[in-house]
Structure formats: structure tokens, C-alpha cells
Amino acid sequence: MRALVWHGANDIRCDTVPDPEIEHPRDAIVKVTTCAICGSDLHLHDHVMPGMEKGDIVGHEFMGEVVEVGAEARSALKVGERVVVPFTIWCGECDQCKRGNYSVCERSNRNKALADKVFGHTTAGLFGYTHLTGGYAGGQAEYVRVPMADRTHIKIPGGLSDEQVLFLGDIFPTGWQAAAQCDIQPTDTVAIWGCGPVGQMTIRSAILLGAKQVIAIDRVPERLAMAKAGGAITINFEEESVVERLNELTGGKGPEKCIDAVGMEAHATATLDSMMDRAKQALMLESDRAHVLREMIYVCRPAGTLSIPGVYGGLVDKLPFGMAMNKGLTWRMGQTHVNRWTDDLLNRIQEGQIDPSFVITHTVPLDQGPEMYKTFRDKRDGCIKVVLKP
Amino acid sequence: MAYYDRSSTGDNLARGLGWFSIGLGVAELMAGRSIARWMGMEDKTNLIRAYGVREITAGVGLLALGDPKPWIWSRIAGDAVDMATLAAGMAPGSKDNPRAGNARIAFGAVMAATALDVVCAQKLHREEAYYRSLPVPDYSGRSGFPRAVSAMRGAASDAPIGTDMRTPKILQFQGATGSATGPAQNQSASS
């Protein structure tokens, strides 16, 4: 089969690789009909996320048709069913899964010993996302093996296009959880850093959950335009001061809820601290660029909440934790517990409350994937979300 | 917003110059005295070391700090400073410098590097002009909602969100009177 394969920094290729096979009775094989490039895939492409090996198949946003089911998954899945696959693999049996904390499933990471060493305790296995999270083959491919498939799936009813439901596997529930864990109240101002795909979903989620005011921060004009279409007041950080504008919009008090939809690769040249971060990252003195975290801590209203769906990989430097402590900020973060939200979100899509396909700007065949990684990374051609067709 | 393409020929040249900058910078920093002696300019040893720091900074900027254009221009400015320094070593007043020939070789090398820098800057600006000439897609109609945003605000306020995702009452914004009631009743405190 053909798949997008990681060969090193800035080197993802469309290769021919062996077809996946059932390796465990709980496995299923899915023929991928549609997949997407996620912003967090760029961390792998740029090789700022440790734990990749040459030959790894990438991709964790995908859906398709079940073509083979292991003996122990047959009660839950049937050949021919159409499924979206969540990016977090979950067993459904461990203490964390029983609490709905699927992204920290205790059993799905097959490299648990490594993750225990690096993180203290393991988190869930993820598709196509480093050997720290299991080293599972990803879904930017024609076929994919889905471990623990009796749990790790979202069944899709007829009448909905791939484009409408694909993002149930990651960015829609990720944006939703980012807003939900802020416990948004009708009086809240929610400030969201980053108008990439997750940021766009977060804006819509905050609106649906009833925020009084949603403010979106970015620098790319077309992304800001899309944010505005979704109901956000926009701030272009290259043209105006984020701190001054947020204070102006909140009567000088700051937003109650701040959401980081940027993560470890904050724009490198906008401010002195982000330039220092980039230089330190290049010299391997830190792994993550934390400009957004610093700014959120600074602008957030005391007793407010910081929500962090943006991906961080390791160590950050110069985080003003004393400021956060003295302001009494609440921190909510983590990978998304995808299946906790998907029944509700699928209903909302079916009812027509939202159509997540609004974010798609490019649809190309799988073999154009490597080029589209670069287009997406460089924000060329108005690129916000790339969908691939194997 | 600055436009740049990290796979373009201009960017590849900028990266090459970035590595060259780092290599030259390390050499100037570590072997400043030897370089100065070779050019017969021993009194400029510390200056050459300082130029090494400048080169390393430009190299890191070119390789790691996104838009390479400002860093290429910083290199061109640095080249001018280098040439001025070398010119002083080759000037008529310093014809007693027995190694003025070496200084002239260095001057020629800097001129060659400057030419490359200028070509690179031109390429990068041409590429930016090309991207700026492309039509900007219009996403202003992409709300994702079936109705106006004002009609969708709060449409999912009944969403099933577990208590573990809620802010504990003790941490919620307090009312103006100080009562620890839920924030929904505390508009005056969070307007």
C-alpha cells in the first residue's frame, strides 16, 4: 500500500510499504477513505517532537471502511461499517478509561516502559505520533491497523459526508474540550491564541457553549477572516498589542478564560522572547517555545482559567510561574479524551448545528501529501486545513 | 505578515549562508588571534572575535528564526563592516603591513560572500513579491454554522460536560457581594 512515511526532519515521503495485518484479536483493519494533516503533524515534520524513527507512518486524523476485524472485536465492529478513528487508542477497561480519561489510558501504549520513564507514568497510545506513544502506524495511508478497535472507533451513520465527520477524530473534540474545560459562563470573555484548525474549532465551540465574547489572536489574514466568520473579535499580533487590546476589550480586567491553540512552535520572530526560544530550541537548550503560555499567564484575569489544547513536547524555559501562582490561575490541559465527546458532537453535526468541513481549504490525493506538509507549514496558498484522499 | 517559503531556492541559499556564517563565526571566535596574525592585523584580534559572535548570531537567525530576510540584510551590513576593517589593514598608511596581500585575499573573499548575500536577498524579496501577488482566499463566509453567529451563541449550553471539567465552586469568580455562588449569577463581577 501507499503511505506517508517519516524519513527525518522536513522529509516525509509517499512510499510503498507492506499492508497492515491483524496482530491481536482486538484489532481491525480500516481502508482509509479520507485523512488529514493535523497541526501537530507539523511538529513531527519539523522534528521538534522527539521519538520518531525512520520509516514511521504518520497521520492521526483518518476515517474509512472496516475491511477486517479480529475475533475479539467482532461484537463491536463489522466489516463494511464506516468509522472515524479517534487519534487516542483506548482500552475501555483500565481505571482511567473507566473515568472517561481516554487520552491517558493505562494500557494502550505498547511502549509503556519508555513512557513511564519519560512522563513518570504512561499516557495513551496514539496513531502515527512517536514511539513515546506506542509507535503505532498512522492513518495517512491506504490501510491502517486499529488496535483495541472494539473501543477505538466512532461509527458513522449514512447521510453524512467524510468531510463533515472526519474531524470528530481529533480537531473538533480537541477544540470542544479546550472550551469545555474552561467551564464557559455566559459572562465570560474567552481569548484564543492561534487560528489554525484547532483554534477555529475552539472558537465555534466557545460560541456554542455561550461565551459572551470570543477573541482570536493570530497574524495570518485569511485565518483571522475565518475566525471572524465564526464569531470572534480578532487581534493581529503583528499590527497591534495583544495585551493592550485584550485589556481594552475587557474593561482593563483581562479575559476570564485563555486558550492556547498554538503549542510548542509559537511564531518565532514576533517578540524577543520567542526569538530567544527559537534560538534555544535550535541549540537544544529547550524543546518548546512558550511565548503563548507566558502571554496567557500575563493577561488572564486573576482567578481565571488557562486551557491548553496546543501540543507541548518537553521542556519550556522562563515560564512566569510565580505570576500564575499569585493570580490563582486554574490550568486545564491534556490530549483530548476524544470518545468522551463524540456522541454529543456527532448529534450536533447530524442536527446541522455545525458543519466542521468549513475549515477545509485543500483536498489532494495522498501522494501530494509531502508537498502539502510544506504548504501547510509555510501557510502558503491560504492553507488552513489539508484533506488527503488515499 | 512576512511571506517566505522554507523550501525555495532563496531559502536554501539562505540556509547555506547560515551554516557558512556559523562556521566562519566559530573560526573567528576560536582562532581570532591566528586570523589576525595571518592578515598582519594583530591589533584587531578582539574585533575579529566580536565579528565571530556577530556571524554566529546571523547564522542562528538564518537557520532557526523563520523569515531569513532580516538576517541576510544583517549579514550584508556585517560584510560592509568587515570590508571597512580590512580596508584599513590594506590602506596606504599601513603599507608597512608585510601581510597586506593576505588582507587583500580576505577582502576579496568578503566581496564574494557579499555578492552571494545580495543575490540571496534579491531572491528572497522576489519570492515574497510573488506570494504577495497571489490572490488572498476569502474565508469570510465560512462560519460553519447554519445560522447567524448571534443565533448560535449558547446553542450548546446544555452540552453534557462532566463535573471533572467544571471549575470547582471554590475557584469560580465570586459575586460582587462576596457570596460563593455560581458564576452565572455573578455578572457584575465578570463584565
Side-chain angles (χ1 to χ4, degrees), chain A residues 55-73:
Chain A
D56 287 345
I57 298 173
V58 291
H60 56 266
E61 281 187 289
F62 57 97
M63 64 175 297
E65 183 191 331
V66 178
V67 292
E68 202 179 340
V69 186
E72 290 179 22

Side-chain angles (χ1 to χ4, degrees), chain B:
Chain B
M1 159 187 168
Y3 290 83
Y4 52 92
D5 175 351
R6 282 154 64 183
S7 322
S8 69
T9 48
D11 193 76
N12 287 336
L13 181 54
R15 280 171 192 280
L17 288 165
W19 284 115
F20 171 74
S21 255
I22 287 177
L24 179 62
V26 169
E28 287 179 327
L29 199 58
M30 307 299 287
R33 188 186 302 278
S34 304
I35 293 170
R37 197 179 298 136
W38 179 75
M39 295 188 300
M41 299 168 68
E42 283 89 341
D43 58 324
K44 299 287 194 292
T45 297
N46 287 336
L47 195 60
I48 287 170
R49 286 192 176 132
Y51 290 173
V53 173
R54 186 200 72 209
E55 289 284 353
I56 291 169
T57 306
V60 170
L62 282 165
L63 291 169
L65 292 181
D67 184 8
K69 288 187 286 294
W71 299 103
I72 278 293
W73 282 110
S74 84
R75 267 190 55 82
I76 292 170
D79 292 341
V81 174
D82 286 349
M83 285 192 277
T85 306
L86 289 165
M90 298 153 35
S94 60
K95 62 185 167 201
D96 54 337
N97 177 1
R99 295 183 169 166
N102 289 348
R104 274 192 284 276
I105 291 170
F107 190 89
V110 174
M111 277 182 68
T114 308
L116 264 181
D117 288 334
V118 171
V119 168
C120 183
Q122 284 176 332
K123 268 184 186 297
L124 291 170
H125 282 284
R126 262 201 303 273
E127 284 162 8
E128 175 160 24
Y130 167 73
Y131 287 119
R132 284 192 185 281
S133 72
L134 297 174
V136 178
D138 179 12
Y139 300 142
S140 59
R142 292 188 177 219
S143 78
F145 296 132
R147 295 186 292 283
V149 171
S150 55
M152 300 310 296
R153 195 180 300 275
S157 51
D158 61 339
I161 296 171
T163 51
D164 62 329
M165 292 279 165
R166 300 286 185 187
T167 306
K169 222 165 201 179
I170 191 77
L171 296 178
Q172 290 176 354
F173 285 95
Q174 305 294 299
T177 57
S179 63
T181 52
Q185 287 83 46
N186 295 327
Q187 299 194 14
S188 58
S190 47
S191 57

